[in-house]
Amino acid sequence: MASETLSINHNGYHESYLEYQGKHKGIWGWLLTTDHKRIGVLYMISILSFFAVGVTLGFLIRLELLTPQGTIVGPQAYNEFFTVHGVIMIFLFIIPVISAIFGNFFLPILIGAKDVAFPRINLLSWYLYLTGGALVLLAIVLPGGAPDTGWTFYIPYSVRTSTNLIITLVAAFILGMSSILTGLNFISTIHRMRAEGMSWFKMPLFAWSLYATSWIQVIATPIVGITLVMVIVERVFHVGIFDPTLGGDPILYQHLFWIYSHPAVYIIILPAMGVISEIVPVFSQRTIFGYKFIAFSSIAIAVFGSLVWAHHMFSTGISDTAEFVFSLLTFLVAIPSAIKVFNWIATLYKGSILLEPPLLYALAFIFLFTIGGLTGIIQGAISLDIYLTDTYFIVAHFHYTMFGGTGFGFFAALHYWFPKMFGRQYNKKIAKIAFWFVFIGFNTLYFPMFILGWMGMPRRSYHYLPQFQPLHVLSTVGSWILITGLIIMFTNLFRSLLKGGKITKKNIWGGETLEWQIETPPTFENFEFEPKVFEAPYEYKQNEIEKEEVK
Amino acid sequence: MLADASNFVHSVDSTFTIIVAICVFFLVLITALMILFVFKYNSKRNKKAENIHGSLPLEITWTVIPVILVLYMFYLGWTGYKQMTDAPKNSMIVDVYGQMWSWSYKYPNGVKSDTLFVPINKPVKLMLHSRDVDHSFYVPAFRIKKDVIPDRINTEWFLPKRLGSYDVFCAEYCGLRHSYMYSEVVVLSQDQYDKWMAGKLSDNDKE
Ligand SMILES: [Cu+2]
């Protein structure tokens, strides 16, 4: 991206954001920071901690399923495992992971701003996140036991369970507030804080994807917030809303729940798609193919994705008209995702490709997300959904889109931006070894579940019939390979923080967006001079890496 | 497990095969191109990249073709589903009761049972009742599933076409022993069915 720095507002900060001492020193300089980069790092530490808890629970679930029943725990513990695994992975990991970490850290930089529009509210969002996270942990340890309803909290069961459900719902409500505030902040930042010359169509695609995401967060999250409060009111004051014994309607709950929770999957996937749109051109050293189609497909996904929620309810007995409309829209929402995939592939064409760890993860994202998307299409067909819904097919599809998609998008972003964030380079060879463990482990873990689902095995099942065992054993072995890969990956990254080679080069990958034109690690207010932008992003003049090395 | 046991199996399985074939085609295409480009345009072989900004004809192609294909797949799924909603008028009606954590059945003549016995080649319409929370009546071999929801009577129907017994699962999570909520559908010849029913009726008389 061609840009020029004008000496308008020289702020005089030369220190890296990691060392900068503001009003507060030491740990308080972090806990009371309003710097978007420090907040991004705070999110990184807390989100990764919850990820570790979620992975551990996933490991225990797989271990239990090694045999048809009673491998390590009883049914109550198992039900609590998969519920808490879902709650943590959805609300504390996969929804915030990319937007809260990399959105916070890089969105202002990518559009040439000093910070987000409301830095204090940004810090408040993190505290709300922590509060929500703490309440989830509290729900596990308090007497009464961890929630056992599944992360969907379906009524009437969730009105009857004696486990700590209310505290979990309060947690989800608070996490929703955190998400809304982050969304508001990003929308305002993108509207108001773009650098001179940074018109809408000169914005990097990651910023576009965060923009679309933020609107869904702001519009859809209040609905689930209110719904969860209604469940609490129903449980505490016995007001009939959803519970049929009080005259309520359980299907109404499902509608309200999915009106948020289906768009939530786009809150989850869109930022990852934005990351892929950044990484593919950088490592192909050429401009992105179909910039406007990728940008507008994000908006199309946000709009149409808000109108397909009832495809989670094809088997509940909703009307034929609803089945027809929601199935049709579900098929159509696949189109903008397909457009993105085709444009990414076309971006590789006639590039000069460097197969570095970020690109490896990005290509794995495209492959796994394509499987996730295509198996979504299979379930969009109503007659097939009737057969496959609530089986392991759904579990596989869901993990291919969420983990294979956003999870791998997160790993790609991590390997792409980590050196810029911390000024340290990780060992690329080890990163590639970790990649193959993660990729092979992932497929061994989740692919057998498609077959289990086609064989008719229901999900959320502690006990299963003997014919399902061989595939469960394979899947469990996959979980071990995957976890080995994750341990190698994070050890490699963590080790590089302490012992990795220091980087001072601004542009290690040869990127054209603004974060590669500032110091590594970035200084306190990002830009020493206010940037001015002339050209669209991803306009590669020549092999930028060579240029960098000559300097 | 995947026996051709009901009238829906053929339609569901052929729809599945067609859609999976289309999906596999696109997956292979995308993956093959990706791998080809990564090798062919590797920076070692291709030092200088070409900036290609896009192509409207290509964008139109890869929008229109998928739109046509998804409309076709939608149509397959919809027509398959329509058959599942229209139970024949002469169906035998059986009430199904789901409760934490077992199934029970009640026949039109008042006979009750824990296993669903049905005569072959006679359509059966199930009226689904829940006594507590949501369940889902799922017979994989018949390719049918319908949620069982309190205060609402959902229905599903099938035409059993092969003798034998088939697993019934609860597909909607319903608490502690959800995964043990098994039952069976046993498809009998008309003779055997009549005998079973007569036996049940005389049992009832003795009581
Ligand atoms: Cu049940």
Side-chain angles (χ1 to χ4, degrees):
Chain A
M1 184 186 295
S3 63
E4 190 179 273
T5 47
L6 296 174
S7 178
I8 300 170
N9 224 351
H10 190 230
N11 59 29
Y13 301 123
H14 297 288
E15 276 170 305
S16 120
Y17 79 100
L18 293 164
E19 279 145 25
Y20 169 79
Q21 299 278 336
K23 231 179 355 190
H24 307 283
K25 309 268 180 270
I27 185 77
W28 294 109
W30 283 90
L31 293 179
L32 296 175
T33 185
T34 53
D35 176 11
H36 66 101
K37 298 181 291 300
R38 286 195 168 195
I39 292 173
V41 173
L42 290 175
Y43 267 115
M44 180 181 267
I45 296 164
S46 36
I47 289 175
L48 285 177
S49 309
F50 284 110
F51 181 56
V53 180
V55 170
T56 308
L57 286 164
F59 167 76
L60 293 173
I61 292 170
R62 281 315 324 164
L63 200 58
E64 170 53 42
L65 291 172
L66 201 54
T67 65
Q69 63 177 324
T71 319
I72 52 169
V73 290
Q76 182 61 32
Y78 177 82
N79 294 346
E80 293 172 12
F81 282 177
F82 75 69
T83 301
V84 178
H85 170 79
V87 168
I88 288 182
M89 286 304 209
I90 301 270
F91 295 107
L92 288 161
F93 175 67
I94 205 86
I95 286 180
V97 65
I98 293 180
S99 62
I101 298 176
F102 301 107
N104 264 315
F105 199 107
F106 286 105
L107 175 66
I109 300 177
L110 285 170
I111 62 169
K114 282 186 204 166
D115 206 316
V116 292
F118 308 109
R120 285 198 184 84
I121 289 181
N122 203 16
L123 182 64
L124 174 64
S125 307
W126 181 67
Y127 277 102
L128 287 173
Y129 171 86
L130 271 196
T131 311
L135 286 174
V136 169
L137 296 180
L138 213 56
I140 303 175
V141 295
L142 282 183
D148 65 344
T149 59
W151 77 277
T152 46
F153 312 123
Y154 267 21
I155 285 195
Y157 183 68
S158 60
V159 185
R160 294 171 179 236
T161 178
S162 60
T163 55
N164 298 324
L165 188 80
I166 290 182
I167 195 167
T168 315
L169 296 179
V170 172
F173 180 82
I174 292 174
L175 291 167
M177 286 182 29
S178 167
S179 180
I180 293 170
L181 291 180
T182 303
L184 274 175
N185 224 333
F186 286 0
I187 292 171
S188 314
T189 307
I190 291 170
H191 272 278
R192 310 286 309 180
M193 314 263 302
R194 279 172 288 134
E196 200 184 336
M198 176 69 73
S199 62
W200 284 88
F201 291 116
K202 291 196 178 90
M203 278 202 317
L205 287 162
F206 183 52
W208 266 104
S209 74
L210 288 174
Y211 185 70
T213 308
S214 300
W215 275 112
I216 318 177
Q217 276 171 291
V218 170
I219 294 169
T221 317
I223 300 170
V224 78
I226 293 162
T227 309
L228 298 178
V229 169
M230 278 153 69
V231 177
I232 295 171
V233 167
E234 182 152 47
R235 272 189 70 124
V236 177
F237 302 109
H238 305 286
V239 179
I241 305 169
F242 307 123
D243 184 358
T245 58
L246 299 169
D249 181 1
I251 295 294
L252 176 65
Y253 172 81
Q254 294 191 21
H255 276 294
L256 290 173
F257 180 82
W258 289 115
I259 283 175
Y260 164 73
S261 295
H262 189 78
V265 309
Y266 299 108
I267 295 178
I268 293 165
I269 198 69
L270 278 166
M273 291 171 155
V275 167
I276 304 309
S277 303
E278 295 298 320
I279 289 176
V280 173
V282 171
F283 292 91
S284 306
Q285 287 295 302
R286 52 154 284 183
T287 189
I288 189 130
F289 193 95
Y291 172 93
K292 282 195 182 174
F293 288 90
I294 295 184
F296 282 124
S297 62
S298 290
I299 305 294
I301 287 173
V303 173
F304 288 109
S306 303
L307 302 171
V308 298
W309 73 87
H311 69 208
H312 295 267
M313 301 164 61
F314 284 157
S315 66
T316 58
I318 54 173
S319 74
D320 283 0
T321 317
E323 304 261 355
F324 184 94
V325 171
F326 282 104
S327 170
L328 185 60
L329 287 169
T330 299
F331 274 107
L332 292 176
V333 81
I335 301 296
S337 297
I339 291 173
K340 278 185 198 280
V341 169
F342 292 133
N343 280 292
W344 291 326
I345 299 292
T347 303
L348 294 168
Y349 178 68
K350 293 203 170 171
S352 179
I353 297 168
L354 292 149
L355 202 55
E356 300 284 10
L359 186 65
L360 265 181
Y361 278 108
L363 298 179
F365 168 99
I366 296 174
F367 176 75
L368 300 173
F369 176 74
T370 301
I371 296 180
L374 290 170
T375 50
I377 283 183
I378 293 174
Q379 289 163 106
I382 311 174
S383 65
L384 298 184
D385 181 82
I386 295 289
Y387 178 54
L388 295 170
T389 190
D390 281 316
T391 69
Y392 263 76
F393 199 90
I394 280 280
V395 181
H397 157 72
F398 185 72
H399 283 88
Y400 264 85
T401 52
M402 298 291 100
F403 189 173
T406 304
F408 275 70
F410 167 59
F411 300 150
L414 199 56
H415 286 84
Y416 178 53
W417 280 316
F418 186 92
K420 171 58 75 177
M421 294 172 82
F422 300 107
R424 301 273 188 164
Q425 184 56 292
Y426 50 83
N427 183 320
K428 288 193 211 169
K429 214 175 241 167
I430 296 176
K432 286 182 186 175
I433 293 169
F435 167 82
W436 286 109
F437 272 92
V438 171
F439 182 75
I440 292 167
F442 176 91
N443 285 294
T444 317
L445 166 55
Y446 294 113
F447 199 84
M449 294 185 185
F450 284 123
I451 306 168
L452 282 170
W454 175 249
M455 288 166 72
M457 160 128 194
R459 69 176 181 155
R460 292 174 170 175
S461 290
Y462 169 75
H463 178 262
Y464 57 80
L465 298 177
Q467 68 263 32
F468 300 125
Q469 194 176 11
L471 287 164
H472 273 299
V473 172
L474 183 62
S475 174
T476 299
V477 171
S479 75
W480 299 336
I481 303 173
L482 173 63
I483 290 171
T484 308
L486 290 175
I487 291 171
I488 301 173
M489 178 204 299
F490 284 104
T491 310
N492 185 33
L493 291 171
F494 190 71
R495 196 182 160 279
S496 78
L497 278 184
L498 308 171
K499 295 183 179 170
K502 281 204 176 174
I503 305 174
T504 48
K505 273 187 206 163
K506 289 179 177 172
N507 195 354
I508 53 158
W509 305 122
E512 287 277 291
T513 39
L514 284 174
E515 79 271 39
W516 304 111
Q517 298 178 27
I518 60 173
E519 298 298 322
T520 304
T523 52
F524 173 61
E525 284 185 337
N526 307 333
F527 300 95
E528 295 214 6
F529 305 97
E530 275 192 13
K532 199 173 171 191
V533 181
F534 298 108
E535 255 184 359
Y538 324 115
E539 291 301 323
Y540 288 84
K541 298 291 178 292
Q542 51 178 295
N543 201 323
E544 298 281 331
I545 286 185
E546 284 171 8
K547 210 163 68 179
E548 173 73 13
E549 275 159 7
V550 172
K551 267 188 229 166
Chain B
M1 197 60 231
L2 297 175
D4 189 1
S6 87
N7 56 321
F8 299 126
V9 175
H10 177 73
S11 135
V12 168
D13 288 13
S14 60
T15 303
F16 185 76
T17 312
I18 294 168
I19 296 184
V20 167
I22 295 173
C23 291
V24 168
F25 170 78
F26 276 98
L27 179 66
V28 170
L29 179 77
I30 287 164
T31 312
L33 283 175
M34 194 161 79
I35 293 171
L36 175 77
F37 291 166
V38 166
F39 277 97
K40 193 167 173 200
Y41 303 114
N42 198 288
S43 60
K44 283 179 207 125
R45 281 185 210 95
N46 198 31
K47 294 261 183 254
K48 196 152 165 31
E50 213 171 292
N51 277 332
I52 304 167
H53 286 83
S55 148
L56 191 62
L58 264 180
E59 300 283 353
I60 292 171
T61 314
W62 64 44
T63 306
V64 171
I65 293 176
V67 166
I68 295 168
L69 284 172
V70 296
L71 288 177
Y72 171 62
M73 293 188 274
F74 161 74
Y75 172 78
L76 288 178
W78 170 250
T79 48
Y81 169 75
K82 273 314 277 178
Q83 303 174 337
M84 297 178 180
T85 58
D86 305 329
K89 295 243 157 46
N90 61 343
S91 302
M92 173 169 93
I93 291 174
V94 180
D95 287 296
V96 177
Y97 295 89
Q99 61 188 30
M100 293 152 96
W101 293 277
S102 63
W103 298 105
S104 55
Y105 309 94
K106 198 171 113 198
Y107 289 82
N109 56 9
V111 163
K112 288 176 186 163
S113 158
D114 293 336
T115 301
L116 180 60
F117 291 93
V118 291
I120 191 164
N121 289 328
K122 286 261 172 73
V124 180
K125 184 175 178 182
L126 303 175
M127 314 294 286
L128 306 170
H129 311 261
S130 166
R131 292 204 167 106
D132 37 48
V133 302
D134 292 358
H135 304 278
S136 189
F137 190 82
Y138 180 31
V139 189
F142 293 172
R143 307 290 185 268
I144 57 167
K145 179 189 292 132
K146 195 55 129 332
D147 292 0
V148 183
I149 294 163
D151 249 21
R152 166 186 291 246
I153 299 167
N154 279 336
T155 63
E156 63 186 332
W157 79 278
F158 59 91
L159 181 69
K161 289 173 72 174
R162 181 186 285 216
L163 299 176
S165 67
Y166 304 96
D167 293 320
V168 172
F169 299 136
C170 173
E172 184 65 60
Y173 173 71
C174 57
L176 184 68
R177 290 181 63 81
H178 156 67
S179 62
Y180 293 91
M181 207 166 144
Y182 297 118
S183 178
E184 272 186 343
V185 188
V186 180
V187 180
L188 302 170
S189 67
Q190 188 67 48
D191 275 7
Q192 287 171 307
Y193 176 78
D194 290 341
K195 256 182 227 153
W196 171 80
M197 189 51 92
K200 270 281 182 186
L201 284 169
S202 68
D203 283 355
N204 284 4
D205 290 344
K206 279 175 210 154
E207 274 164 17

